[in-house]
Amino acid sequence: MRIILNVCFLLVTVFTAQAQQGEVSGRVFNEQQEPIANVSIYLLTAKVGALIKTEVTDEHGRYVIKNVSPGEFVVQASSVGYETSKSSLLKVASQSVTVDDIILKPESQAIDAVTVEGQVPLVQQRDGKLILNVENSTLAAGNNALEVVRRAPGVSVDKDENLQLMGQQGVNVTIDGRQTYMSGEQLSTFLKSMNGDQIKSVEVSTIRSAKEDAEGTVGTINIVLKKNRLEGFNGSFLASGAHGKHARGNSSLNLSYKKNNTTVFGTYGFTRNKRQFDLGLERKIPSEEVGDRVFDQDASLVETNKTHNYRIGIEQKTSERNTMLLQFSGDNDRESSVNASLTNIGPELGLVDSVLRTVTNSRTPFNRYSVNFNNELQLDTLGGKLIFDFDWTAFRNDADIDYDYKTYLPDGNLSYAPEKWRTGMPVDIDIYVGKIDFIKKLGKGKLESGLKYSRVKSDNNLAFERFVDNTWEDFEGRQNHFIYTEEIAAGYLDYNRSFGATDIKLGVRAEYTFSDAHSVTNGVTNKRDYLDFFPSASISHAVNENNIISLSYARKISRPNYRYLNPMPYYIDKFTFMLGNPYLRPQYTDGFTLNYTLYKMFNITLGTDITNDAMVESMGQDDIKGESWVTRENLARTVTSYLNINAPFRIGKIWTMNNNLTTIYMHFNGPIAGEYADLGSVFFQGRSTNNFKLTKALSAELAVDYNSPFLYNIYKIHARWGTDIGINYNFKDERNSLKLAATDIFRTQQNNVSTDFGQFNSMIRQYNDNQTVRLTYTYKFGNLKQQIRKRDSESEEASRAR
C-alpha cells in the first residue's frame, strides 16, 4: 500500500513540477590541441556514477547531449588508446551548459579494451524497457536462446516451454525488432535451436506504441543480436560441452570485416543436444455408463537435436545519409525422439485391469530460412528518416511418428493384438512482410508514421495410417489437410513532444485483417475480415535526475494461430490429443502501465491487462472411450494485475546483484469446459542474480529463482525453484576465456500441474533434464587493435567497440 501511495503522490508531482530539461555540450582534444573524433562521451550522475546518456564526438571533437533532466552530473570521455578523463561537477537546470574542454592523454601502452566506470549493468531501464545484458554472462554461455530469454525480468516459461511475461501467455516476441510470426510451440522449437551466444541483450516491455504491431496480450520481448562495429577483420570462436542425464554441446564461429563504408559479417553455430524428459500423469475419468477409470502413466522421453544455424550479411553505407543492409539466415534442426511409457488402467489408483505399453518414435526436422533487406535514409540532421524494410521467412518442416501399442492383462498376457500407427505431417509456412517508416520533426515534436503489409500462409497436410493384416491402410477420420492464410494491412501515426521535463506521446494504429481457415479434409472454409483501431498514449515526467515516472495505455490483439483453428484431432498418444476450434475468435486487451524509476537503477512497474474474449486452454474427455483432449475456447474475460520491482545493489567492491520480484493477480471469469469458471489467484515470481568480481581475471555468478503455486484458469501450477552457479576466467591476453556453470543444482525445477475442475481430475509431474554442468571456451581473434598514425609518430588504438 505504501508503494501505491508513493506512486500516486508522484503522479500529482507530474502535473505540478516545473523542472525543465537542459543541454550539455563540449569538445575533446589531445595534448597537441587537436580535436579527436569518435570519442565515447558518458553523462554520469555525480553521486552514484549511474550512466544516463551517451554520445560520440564528431570530426571537430564536438558533442551535444540533449534533453538532460535537472541535476548534478559529470561528463566522462573515453577512447581506445587514451586515458579516461572526467569533467568537473556540472549543475544542469533549464539552460544549456558548456563543459570545459576535455584533454585526453595517450596511454603509455596499447590495450585491448577500455573499462568505463559507468559500466552497463546486468539489467538496466531505458525508454520504458527492462534490458537484460547477457553478452558476458557466465550462466548464459553455451545455452540456447530459450534458456537465455527466460532469465529476463518478468519472463518465465509454462509446462510446455512457452514464453510468458508477467505470468501471461500471448507475448509478442521479436528479433532485432522484427516479428517472428510463430506460434508458442514453433517459437519454443526455434529458440531452442538458436545459439544463445548470438544474443547481446533481451529487451522486455509491457508498454506499446502505435509504431509496434498490435499483436500480443501483455507486452513485447525483443531479442537483440550481437553486432561488431570494429574496423578490420574480427571474430570469435566458442566451444561448449555439458552433461545432464546425457551429453550435449555446441560450438559457434562469428566473423566480421569492416572497411570504410562496407561491413561483411557471418555467424555459424552447431548444436547437439540430448535430453531426457520424465513424465508422470494420473487421470481420473468418471462414467456412470462404464464405471470410473483411472489412468496412471509413467513416461520417459529421450530427445536428440542436431542443429545448424547461420547468418550472413552485408551492410553498405552508400552515402553520408544512406545505409543498406542485406542478410540471410537459416536454421536446420534434425530432432529425433523415443518416448516409452507404461499406463496402468483400472477403476481406482492401485487397482489394475489392464496395462498399456507405448513406444513412440518421432523424426521431426525443423527448417527455417529468412531474407531481410533494409534501407535507411537520413533526411536531415534533426533526426528525420525514411526506412524501408522487407522480410521473407519460410518454414519447411516434416514430422514422421510411429506409434506402437501393446495392451496386457494383469497376468502379463496380451489383451489383444498389438496396434501400430504412423503419421506423416509436412508443414510449409511462408511469411512475407513489407513496411515503410517515416520519421520527421514536426513543430516542437516528432512525428512517426508508416505502412505495413504481411501475408502468412500455412499448409499442414497430416497423413494417418494403421497396420492391419500386415498392410498399412488409411486410418479413417484422422487424415487432416488444413490451409490457413492471413493477411494484415496496417498504418500508424505517432506523435511525441516534450514540454520541459514532461514527454507526451499519442498514437493510433489501424489494422485490417483477412483470414481464411480452409479444412480441405472436411471441405469447410471459415473466412473472416475485420478492421480494428488500436490507440495508445503515454506521459513521462522527470521530477529530477533521480525520479522519473510514466503512465501508459495501449489496446492490443491476439489472433488465434492455425493450429488452434484446425478442427481435426492431433494425437499425442492413444488416449490424448489436441483439437482445434474453428470458431475461436481474436481476443482484445486494454493494458495500463504505471512505471517509476529511482536513481536510474530501481524500477517499479504496476500494470493491469483487461482481456475480453480471452483465448484460454480448455479440456474435454469421452467417458466411454477414455479419451482426453486439449482445445482452446474464448473465455468471457480475464483480468491480470502485476507489480514488478527490479532492484540492483552493490555490496562492497566485488559483489553486485540484481533482484527482480513480480507479484501477479489473475482472475478468470466465464464458461469453460462445460462449467462456469470464476477463479482468481495471487502468485509470486522472484529471481536474484549475483556477480562477484574476485580478481581482474576471475569472476563468479550465482542465480536463484522461485515461482510460487498459483491457479491458471482450470490448472493449478505447483511451486518450483532453482539455483544456478558459474565461474568465469579471462586469460591475461584477454582473448581467451573459460566459463564453468552448473544449472538447477538441487534438481528442483520441476513442472507439476494438477486439475480438479468439474469432471476433470488429473495430476502431471514432469522434469525436463535441467540439472547440467557446462564448460565453455571462447577465443577472440583478428584485428582487434585499431592502429592510427599520430603526429608524434606514436602508434595508438583509435577505434572503440560499442
Side-chain angles (χ1 to χ4, degrees), residues 120-125 130-133 153 601 646 648 658 660:
V120 177
L122 176 68
V123 176
Q124 62 183 147
Q125 191 275 345
L130 281 175
I131 302 172
L132 175 69
N133 297 296
M601 296 188 300
N646 190 266
N658 183 275
N660 196 85

Side-chain angles (χ1 to χ4, degrees), residues 218-282:
V218 57
T220 302
I221 299 173
N222 183 40
I223 301 171
V224 181
L225 301 181
K226 294 178 182 178
K227 297 178 181 65
N228 197 325
R229 300 298 186 187
L230 289 172
E231 284 282 343
F233 175 75
N234 298 279
S236 64
F237 171 75
L238 178 143
S240 182
H243 205 288
K245 286 193 173 182
H246 302 275
R248 63 190 76 162
N250 63 284
S251 60
S252 64
L253 179 66
N254 296 272
L255 301 172
S256 71
Y257 178 76
K258 186 175 188 298
K259 181 69 173 179
N260 298 326
N261 294 324
T262 304
T263 303
V264 181
F265 57 89
T267 64
Y268 169 75
F270 174 74
T271 301
R272 186 188 185 279
N273 272 347
K274 189 174 183 179
R275 301 180 64 181
Q276 181 168 323
F277 301 84
D278 297 319
L279 171 71
L281 171 62
E282 296 173 10

Side-chain angles (χ1 to χ4, degrees), residues 675-729:
E675 303 282 346
Y676 190 88
D678 189 2
L679 307 169
S681 175
V682 176
F683 66 100
F684 168 81
Q685 297 174 337
R687 169 175 282 271
S688 178
T689 304
N690 302 262
N691 293 276
F692 305 90
K693 188 69 175 177
L694 304 177
T695 67
K696 183 179 179 181
L698 185 64
S699 61
E701 192 170 331
L702 169 68
V704 180
D705 64 86
Y706 172 77
N707 290 266
S708 71
F710 69 100
L711 194 66
Y712 187 86
N713 190 12
I714 62 175
Y715 300 100
K716 181 180 180 182
I717 314 297
H718 296 222
R720 67 178 188 271
W721 63 281
T723 304
D724 306 334
I725 57 174
I727 58 173
N728 177 64
Y729 180 77

Side-chain angles (χ1 to χ4, degrees), residues 22-84:
E23 183 177 284
V24 175
S25 62
R27 297 184 298 175
V28 180
F29 295 92
N30 60 21
E31 289 183 319
Q32 287 73 39
Q33 293 300 310
E34 298 167 339
I36 309 176
N38 298 323
V39 176
S40 298
I41 301 298
Y42 302 90
L43 183 67
L44 311 174
T45 59
K47 292 183 179 179
V48 297
L51 180 62
I52 305 300
K53 292 191 175 184
T54 64
E55 274 296 338
V56 179
T57 59
D58 60 19
E59 64 271 19
H60 303 294
R62 297 192 183 99
Y63 62 89
V64 179
I65 306 174
K66 298 181 179 181
N67 299 323
V68 179
S69 302
E72 296 183 346
F73 305 92
V74 293
V75 171
Q76 177 176 296
S78 176
S79 184
V80 177
Y82 293 92
E83 294 180 357
T84 299

Side-chain angles (χ1 to χ4, degrees), residues 329-373:
S329 62
D331 297 270
N332 303 118
D333 178 34
R334 296 294 178 267
E335 177 185 305
S336 60
S337 64
V338 178
N339 186 3
S341 68
L342 178 68
T343 305
N344 292 317
I345 306 171
E348 61 183 63
L349 196 65
L351 188 60
V352 180
D353 288 342
S354 60
V355 178
L356 174 65
R357 294 183 181 272
T358 305
V359 177
T360 303
N361 287 276
S362 66
R363 297 158 298 281
T364 313
F366 177 89
N367 301 286
R368 181 194 68 92
Y369 307 98
S370 180
V371 175
N372 168 252
F373 174 77

Side-chain angles (χ1 to χ4, degrees), residues 15 22 24 48 67 121 147-148 152 217 279 282 311 327 363 462 485 495 529 555 582-583 641 660 700 778 780:
F15 301 102
V24 175
V48 297
N67 299 323
E147 292 294 331
V148 173
T217 302
L279 171 71
E282 296 173 10
R311 180 166 56 108
Q327 61 179 344
R363 297 158 298 281
L462 173 66
T485 305
Y495 185 72
D529 65 286
R555 187 171 187 252
Y583 304 105
S641 299
N660 196 85
T778 304
K780 300 177 182 178

